[in-house]
Amino acid sequence: MEYFAYQFHITDHCDQRCEHCYIFSEDHQKCLDEMIIENIEKVIANCVAMCKQLNRRPYFYITGGDPLLHPDFWQLAASLKNRNIPFGILGNPFHLNDQICQRLAEHGCRKYQLSIDGLRETHDAIRKPGSFDTTIEKIDCIRKAGIDCAVMTTVSGTNKHEIEAIVDLVVANQVDIFAFARYCPTGFEKENHIDPLEYKALLSRLWKKFEDYQDAEITFNLKDHLWNLFLYEKGLFEIPEGLDAQVMVDGCNCGNCHMTILPTGDVYACRRMESQIGNALSDSMHDLFVGKGMDAYRQYDQFEKCAKCELLRFCRGCPAVAYGYTKNMYAADPQCWKEV
Ligand SMILES: C[S@@+](CC[C@H](N)C(=O)[O-])C[C@H]1O[C@@H](n2cnc3c(N)ncnc32)[C@H](O)[C@@H]1O
Ligand code: SF4
Ligand code: SF4
């Protein structure tokens, strides 16, 4: 049975105020929302009911802010355990220790994702002083508990020259999974553009690095959908024959197998862009998913550039990055270098 992924932001509380963060970008003094445990239980039940109707298995990415700062975090973890629902955490390093990691593992946490946004100086400038060293220190703590440690890098004009060094760093620290995604411009540093050919060159250098590390026990998750373009041009990906022309085989999960829930209950098609479709405390998640609101995010023939591209069903770039630049998710991906 296929998984359906819910990114569940249970709290805005966080020890950092990263300059690029979509939560605080418009307002660093933002009122911090947090969902009370009774509502968290309601949301989980709503998602479970949806998956039952669609014959999917729920998977939760519990996140924030820092989900460990939620006062009833362990009640939520126990609830997922009782329901036999696997989950991962996208969180911060500051409140982890051996005991907490062990407890997370016992509750069914499979993966803990930390962020590394540069080498020490750059990372700490984006996040906060000391953040880099604490993050590196906690990798081992997570892995010792038997939880996969993932590292995510948000690539922007600020750190684009350090991504290869981050790959060396995560390999040296025995991280299990490494991925990166591009910064989606919000209120902050909209001018921080990466040129399409520059981005292609970056992917090319990273591919070489991944090859150099093919014997290392790390999974390089090719999360950015422009990897599909890169592999296609390299002859490492071929368009399969005989596929249903309407089916989106790969690429952006928006409108397809992913939804995000905020601490207010607001449901977004994707957290990285303004895309609210309803509220998980008042609407049925199933109805939201199959409804008109979500349909607005799967008008594949509306993609201004991708609709003319043979990779439409496998890529579609990152609509949230396009939205960040233009306020139109169907605009061309600003880093796509393909001529169509
Ligand atoms: C909101 S954070 C929550 C987990 C944790 N606090 C962290 O920073 O890793 C989840 C991920 O979203 C990324 N993120 C935040 N704002 C973003 C933006 N405007 N564009 C792209 N990614 C962003 C963060 O860098 C992080 O990797
Ligand atoms: S640590 Fe995560 S949630 Fe907190 S401000 Fe940074 S990106 Fe946002
Ligand atoms: S045009 Fe769209 S589908 Fe084609 S390679 Fe570019 S982003 Fe991907």
Side-chain angles (χ1 to χ4, degrees):
M1 203 188 293
E2 255 182 86
Y3 278 109
F4 192 100
Y6 300 96
Q7 185 169 321
F8 193 0
H9 293 255
I10 58 173
T11 181
D12 285 340
H13 285 276
C14 188
D15 311 85
Q16 305 185 108
R17 287 291 180 275
C18 308
E19 281 182 318
H20 67 284
C21 183
Y22 43 55
I23 300 175
F24 303 105
S25 63
E26 305 293 343
D27 176 9
H28 277 232
Q29 308 302 322
K30 175 188 183 299
C31 134
L32 299 179
D33 293 314
E34 186 159 81
M35 188 178 281
I36 57 170
I37 188 69
E38 293 77 9
N39 286 341
I40 288 178
E41 296 286 0
K42 279 187 204 161
V43 170
I44 294 174
N46 199 348
C47 296
V48 167
M50 166 182 159
C51 284
K52 221 175 194 166
Q53 278 176 278
L54 297 177
N55 203 24
R56 303 280 193 103
R57 275 199 80 188
Y59 188 99
F60 282 90
Y61 291 96
I62 305 296
T63 187
D66 188 354
L68 294 183
L69 291 177
H70 193 292
D72 293 318
F73 170 81
W74 292 107
Q75 208 173 318
L76 156 65
S79 178
L80 292 173
K81 185 180 181 194
N82 289 340
R83 291 171 179 270
N84 203 16
I85 298 177
F87 69 97
I89 293 184
L90 319 179
N92 289 346
F94 309 107
H95 304 282
L96 294 175
N97 58 35
D98 287 339
Q99 196 199 354
I100 298 277
C101 289
Q102 195 54 49
R103 209 170 158 200
L104 284 172
E106 285 161 11
H107 281 80
C109 174
R110 292 186 178 174
K111 185 164 91 174
Y112 197 105
Q113 180 180 293
L114 298 166
S115 287
I116 298 184
D117 289 330
L119 298 181
R120 185 180 287 108
E121 198 182 326
T122 305
H123 176 99
D124 283 0
I126 293 172
R127 290 186 164 258
K128 73 169 190 177
S131 174
F132 180 87
D133 287 338
T134 309
T135 304
I136 298 293
E137 185 194 319
K138 301 301 174 169
I139 292 170
D140 193 42
C141 182
I142 294 166
R143 296 191 73 242
K144 267 194 312 200
I147 299 172
D148 280 347
C149 178
V151 163
M152 164 66 79
T153 298
T154 299
V155 176
S156 71
T158 309
N159 63 10
K160 64 187 176 189
H161 299 300
E162 296 183 15
I163 313 303
E164 293 148 273
I166 295 175
V167 174
D168 293 331
L169 182 81
V170 293
V171 170
N173 284 279
Q174 297 181 305
V175 162
D176 298 287
I177 303 154
F178 171 72
F180 62 86
R182 282 171 284 152
Y183 165 61
C184 301
T186 48
F188 165 74
E189 60 160 317
K190 278 199 204 301
E191 73 287 351
N192 210 342
H193 179 68
I194 304 178
D195 185 71
L197 288 179
E198 188 186 6
Y199 192 62
K200 178 184 177 182
L202 172 62
L203 293 194
S204 188
R205 294 196 305 275
L206 287 171
W207 185 253
K208 166 90 181 45
K209 267 225 169 278
F210 294 170
E211 284 184 327
D212 290 348
Y213 283 128
Q214 61 185 328
D215 294 331
E217 289 191 14
I218 182 167
T219 301
F220 295 111
N221 180 345
L222 305 184
K223 183 177 164 65
D224 190 330
H225 310 301
L226 289 179
W227 276 115
N228 290 335
L229 167 60
F230 179 83
L231 296 177
Y232 179 64
E233 289 185 341
K234 242 179 135 38
L236 295 172
F237 168 70
E238 281 181 31
I239 297 177
E241 284 178 20
L243 289 174
D244 178 342
Q246 300 309 315
V247 174
M248 294 300 124
V249 182
D250 200 353
C252 174
N253 287 332
C254 195
N256 188 8
C257 58
H258 169 91
M259 284 162 109
T260 296
I261 303 138
L262 302 196
T264 51
D266 288 346
V267 178
Y268 275 47
C270 169
R271 180 61 187 94
R272 287 162 190 242
M273 61 182 173
E274 202 43 63
S275 56
Q276 193 187 344
I277 55 166
N279 189 289
L281 298 171
S282 51
D283 302 310
S284 140
M285 289 295 279
H286 172 267
D287 293 352
L288 290 181
F289 181 66
V290 299
K292 281 207 168 61
M294 194 60 134
D295 277 347
Y297 297 91
R298 43 192 172 216
Q299 304 293 315
Y300 303 115
D301 57 346
Q302 296 294 310
F303 279 99
E304 291 172 6
K305 185 175 174 191
C306 308
K308 293 178 256 168
C309 173
E310 68 268 36
L311 292 176
L312 171 72
R313 285 176 299 148
F314 308 92
C315 171
R316 302 180 296 293
C318 180
V321 174
Y323 180 92
Y325 278 76
T326 62
K327 292 281 176 267
N328 172 15
M329 67 166 269
Y330 291 118
D333 182 312
Q335 274 79 41
C336 170
W337 61 88
K338 192 171 191 306
E339 288 182 20
V340 298

